[in-house]
Amino acid sequence: EWFARADAGMLHQLLFNLLRNALESEVRPGSPVRVTVAESEGGVLVEVADEGGGLPPEVAAAPFTPYLTTKTGGTGLGLLICQELAERMGGRLELTDRKGQGVTARVTLARAP
C-alpha cells in the first residue's frame, strides 16, 4: 500500500482525462484499458494503458502542444492539462507510444510520508 502526495481534485481530473483518452482510443469496442499502481523509486507510479492505435505521428512528435488534436470537436488541451496537473502536484507525466499497439501514460508522484 502506497500513499501519494497529491491534491484529490487535481488527481481526480488527471486520471479522469487519461482514462477518457484511453477509452476514446479503442480500436475495437471492448478492448481493455489497464490501470496499475506501483512503487517507483521512492514515489508512486500510476499507469493507464490502452490497446488503441497509438499516437498519430503529429501528436507523437509533440504530445503536449496546445491546441493540437486529431479528435473531432477536441480542444487539443487534454494532455497539456494532464501534464500541468502532474507537475503542480510535484510529479510528472510521460507518454509511451507503442506504435499501433496503444499508448501508456505514466504518472509519477512523490510518496506521502
Side-chain angles (χ1 to χ4, degrees), residues 18-57:
L18 292 176
L19 285 166
R20 185 179 60 208
N21 280 352
L23 291 168
E24 289 175 353
S25 73
E26 289 183 327
V27 173
R28 318 176 295 283
S31 65
V33 172
R34 186 182 75 243
V35 178
T36 58
V37 180
E39 184 176 26
S40 173
E41 298 178 21
V44 177
L45 173 67
V46 180
E47 288 187 345
V48 177
D50 65 63
E51 292 186 3
L55 296 172

Side-chain angles (χ1 to χ4, degrees), residues 10-99:
M10 286 192 279
L11 184 60
H12 176 269
Q13 187 65 49
L14 171 62
L15 294 176
F16 176 84
N17 286 346
L18 292 176
L19 285 166
R20 185 179 60 208
N21 280 352
L23 291 168
E24 289 175 353
S25 73
E26 289 183 327
V27 173
R28 318 176 295 283
S31 65
V33 172
R34 186 182 75 243
V35 178
T36 58
V37 180
E39 184 176 26
S40 173
E41 298 178 21
V44 177
L45 173 67
V46 180
E47 288 187 345
V48 177
D50 65 63
E51 292 186 3
L55 296 172
E58 64 274 20
V59 176
F64 303 109
T65 301
Y67 309 112
L68 175 62
T69 185
T70 59
K71 295 178 184 177
T72 302
T75 63
L77 295 173
L79 288 175
L80 180 64
I81 290 169
C82 287
Q83 181 185 45
E84 182 178 315
L85 288 168
E87 289 175 356
R88 286 178 61 194
M89 291 184 288
R92 70 180 181 277
L93 169 62
E94 300 168 317
L95 297 178
T96 302
D97 181 14
R98 299 190 323 274
K99 308 278 191 248

